Structure formats: C-alpha cells, structure tokens
C-alpha cells in the first residue's frame, strides 16, 4: 500500500502514527525535527523531504550509482573514467 505525503502536516501525522519503537528511531526523529524547522522557520521544504526520504529508506541498500543520465545527458566516457580513477590524494603512501 503506497501512501502519499503531500503536506508537512501529512508527514507529521504519518510519523506520529508510526509504532512507538519505530517513531523513536534516530532517523524518524531527525525527519520530524527537519519538518518542524521548515514549518516554523519557513525554509525550503526540500530539507523536510530529504529527512523523510532518509527515514523511509533507512536500512535499505543504496541504489547503484549511475554515471550517466537518461537521454544521453551525462558525463562523457572520458569524464567517467577520470571520475573513477583514484587520484594521488585519495591513496595513502
């Protein structure tokens, strides 16, 4: 069942409705704090969204890295090669 969180109020109600053990987890507490800061401070809702997404995906493996974007709008082959090559400051001597 997919749930749609549209407003900061929706997000807050979703978080408070979680089981107590899950609601008390650090990820959800950080998401709630970010939501409150955005609501009270009038900042960008992107911060609250990031907090919610991190909490929703906690414990799940990260998606694989894709070096190029869709429709050919991405890094050139040379840029990908350079980005994946270890620089001298990455390696220890």
């Amino acid at each position: 069942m997919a749930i749609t969180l549209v407003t900061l109020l929706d997000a807050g109600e979703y978080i408070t409705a979680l089981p107590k053990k899950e609601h008390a987890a650090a990820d959800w507490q950080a998401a709630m704090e970010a939501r409150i800061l955005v609501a009270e401070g009038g900042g960008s809702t992107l911060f609250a969204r990031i907090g919610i997404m991190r909490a929703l995906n906690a414990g799940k493996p990260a998606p694989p890295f894709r070096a190029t974007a869709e429709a050919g709008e991405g890094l050139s082959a040379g840029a990908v090669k350079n980005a994946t090559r270890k620089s001298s400051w990455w390696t220890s001597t």
Side-chain angles (χ1 to χ4, degrees):
M1 178 175 121
I3 205 158
T4 303
L5 304 175
V6 178
T7 66
L8 292 174
L9 180 61
D10 292 343
E13 290 173 351
Y14 177 81
I15 294 169
T16 56
L18 291 170
K20 187 169 183 143
K21 184 178 178 182
E22 191 174 354
H23 172 70
D27 292 319
W28 284 111
Q29 290 298 308
M32 185 62 103
E33 184 176 340
R35 186 194 73 84
I36 291 169
L37 287 172
V38 169
E40 290 178 351
S44 172
T45 57
L46 181 61
F47 297 118
R49 184 182 192 292
I50 290 169
I52 297 290
M53 295 305 293
R54 287 187 67 170
L56 285 170
N57 292 309
K60 295 179 184 174
F65 175 74
R66 294 194 63 207
T68 58
E70 296 294 325
E73 295 178 6
L75 300 174
S76 67
V80 171
K81 183 177 179 183
N82 290 334
T84 57
R85 185 183 306 155
K86 288 186 178 178
S87 301
S88 60
W89 62 276
W90 282 92
T91 58
S92 59
T93 54

